[in-house]
Amino acid sequence: MFKKKKDKNVDMSPALEELFEGRSADTVIDIRDLWVEYQSDLETVKAVNGIDLTIKRGRTFGLVGETGAGKTTTALSILRLLPAATGRIVRGEIVFNGKDLLSLDENLMQAARGNLVSMVGIMPQRKVEFPHQFSGGMKQRVVIAMALSCEPELLIADEPTTALDVTIQAQVLAMIKELRDRLGTSMLMITHDLGIVAQTCDDVGVMYAGEIVETGSVEDIFEGDKHHPYTTGLFDSIPDLSSRAERLKPIPGLMPDPTNLPEGCYFAERCPFAEDICTKKHPSAYVEGSHRILCHRFTREGKDE
């Protein structure tokens, strides 16, 4: 996350001051055609494959998908904190306040990162206590407080409610929302929980095998009548308290091997609607207003990006 104003205790170069002061009217971060790989002597893992992602000022963007989809790699790429030995940004742009972070030299990026991502709801007298004396929820709040202490422009929250019970989860999410609204902070919320997305996010991206297969406003994703088959599968796998079904409906199969991605649609082998074209040609995007779906089913009947 990026700080709104200069910290009195940090000696900022003119270029870094320009980075913070060059704020555009409505966009905080704009990721364009980002490709990320992890390389070893034996193989190359294609972790992020040409994603586009825009976070508007004062809004929360939810990035959702199963484990291994590339969500955390996307966040690490924004901060340029990929593992030095194996991680590599192949191409793309990560534009913050009109400046491409990938073009900054390391010294400047390190100075910026000190103002980046990384005692709320806790009694002040407890500040002298040790970590083992706090509950899991309190520890989460401490970390979030540390992240928000600089009044950031962008908060990256990677699974902020993991391992918390439902009651504490609700308290943490309410706290994040209250601070976000009070400070005017934009947020990238990374999660696999669609309930959290519905509760906290304004815009949503559904990520699968390193690419964003569907994006739109929270209304597009939760109330629209057109969805990528993977998005539909995520919704179908959520327990429905109003249904008398005896079993959940999981998505069959597994994500494709990221070291050997298919030439067609990455979801084709798991998709109930797959046709011959799906295994031979990678889909282009169907776009309707703010709603974007990467699927052959819709490009045939709508407009192709």
Side-chain angles (χ1 to χ4, degrees):
M1 53 194 168
F2 297 84
K3 193 175 175 183
K4 285 182 177 177
K5 55 190 177 184
K6 179 178 176 180
D7 191 324
K8 295 179 181 179
N9 298 319
V10 177
D11 183 16
M12 297 173 74
S13 68
L16 188 54
E17 288 184 332
E18 183 181 350
L19 175 65
F20 289 132
E21 292 171 359
R23 304 172 69 191
S24 63
D26 61 352
T27 298
V28 172
I29 201 89
D30 190 11
I31 298 176
R32 305 168 185 168
D33 193 31
L34 181 67
W35 297 75
V36 182
E37 296 178 350
Y38 294 105
Q39 296 180 331
S40 70
D41 293 337
L42 300 177
E43 60 187 11
T44 298
V45 174
K46 297 179 179 179
V48 174
N49 303 302
I51 69 166
D52 298 306
L53 188 157
T54 299
I55 302 177
K56 299 293 185 180
R57 195 168 301 281
R59 294 174 70 87
T60 295
F61 188 100
L63 192 58
V64 64
E66 61 192 292
T67 300
K71 306 185 298 298
T72 296
T73 295
T74 300
L76 292 175
S77 299
I78 294 173
L79 299 175
R80 283 175 43 185
L81 287 176
L82 293 167
T86 57
R88 183 170 74 98
I89 296 176
V90 179
R91 67 175 184 267
E93 294 180 303
I94 301 175
V95 179
F96 169 73
N97 284 345
K99 298 290 191 303
D100 184 8
L101 297 179
L102 302 184
S103 67
L104 299 183
D105 64 56
E106 181 54 32
N107 289 334
L108 187 56
M109 189 64 200
Q110 188 172 8
R113 204 178 291 125
N115 297 276
L116 286 174
V117 168
S118 337
M119 288 294 175
V120 185
I122 300 174
M123 298 298 290
Q125 57 265 34
R126 298 199 64 181
K127 66 182 180 181
V128 298
E129 296 183 5
F130 293 95
H132 69 270
Q133 294 175 284
F134 290 89
S135 67
M138 287 180 177
K139 291 174 184 175
Q140 288 284 60
R141 284 179 238 179
V142 169
V143 173
I144 293 167
M146 292 168 61
L148 289 168
S149 62
C150 293
E151 298 186 13
E153 285 194 43
L154 175 66
L155 172 67
I156 298 179
D158 193 347
E159 300 284 2
T161 58
T162 295
L164 299 181
D165 62 57
V166 175
T167 302
I168 301 301
Q169 180 184 102
Q171 293 175 4
V172 169
L173 290 175
M175 180 197 70
I176 292 175
K177 287 182 64 177
E178 189 273 329
L179 290 172
R180 179 201 65 186
D181 295 341
R182 178 156 55 86
L183 299 174
T185 301
S186 302
M187 181 162 59
L188 174 60
M189 172 70 75
I190 296 173
T191 183
H192 63 275
D193 190 328
L194 286 169
I196 290 176
V197 171
Q199 185 177 349
T200 63
C201 297
D202 303 296
D203 306 291
V204 185
V206 180
M207 198 163 190
Y208 181 80
E211 65 181 2
I212 297 179
V213 296
E214 183 170 358
T215 187
S217 67
V218 71
E219 291 80 13
D220 290 332
I221 303 301
F222 285 84
E223 299 176 6
D225 56 359
K226 293 180 180 179
H227 294 296
H228 190 279
Y230 178 62
T231 307
T232 300
L234 291 178
F235 280 115
D236 286 345
S237 63
I238 298 174
D240 184 356
L241 297 180
S242 64
S243 172
R244 301 181 64 88
E246 296 182 359
R247 296 178 62 88
L248 297 178
K249 186 179 179 182
I251 302 173
L254 299 171
M255 278 195 298
D257 181 355
T259 67
N260 185 29
L261 292 171
E263 62 176 334
C265 174
Y266 297 160
F267 190 65
E269 290 190 2
R270 306 175 72 184
C271 181
F273 307 104
E275 302 176 4
D276 286 344
I277 190 175
C278 300
T279 60
K280 298 175 182 178
K281 181 181 178 182
H282 201 72
S284 53
Y286 165 82
V287 181
E288 185 177 8
S290 62
H291 199 186
R292 181 178 183 272
I293 306 174
L294 203 64
C295 182
H296 287 299
R297 293 177 65 206
F298 302 107
T299 54
R300 286 198 299 269
E301 63 186 59
K303 57 183 177 181
D304 195 342
E305 188 185 50

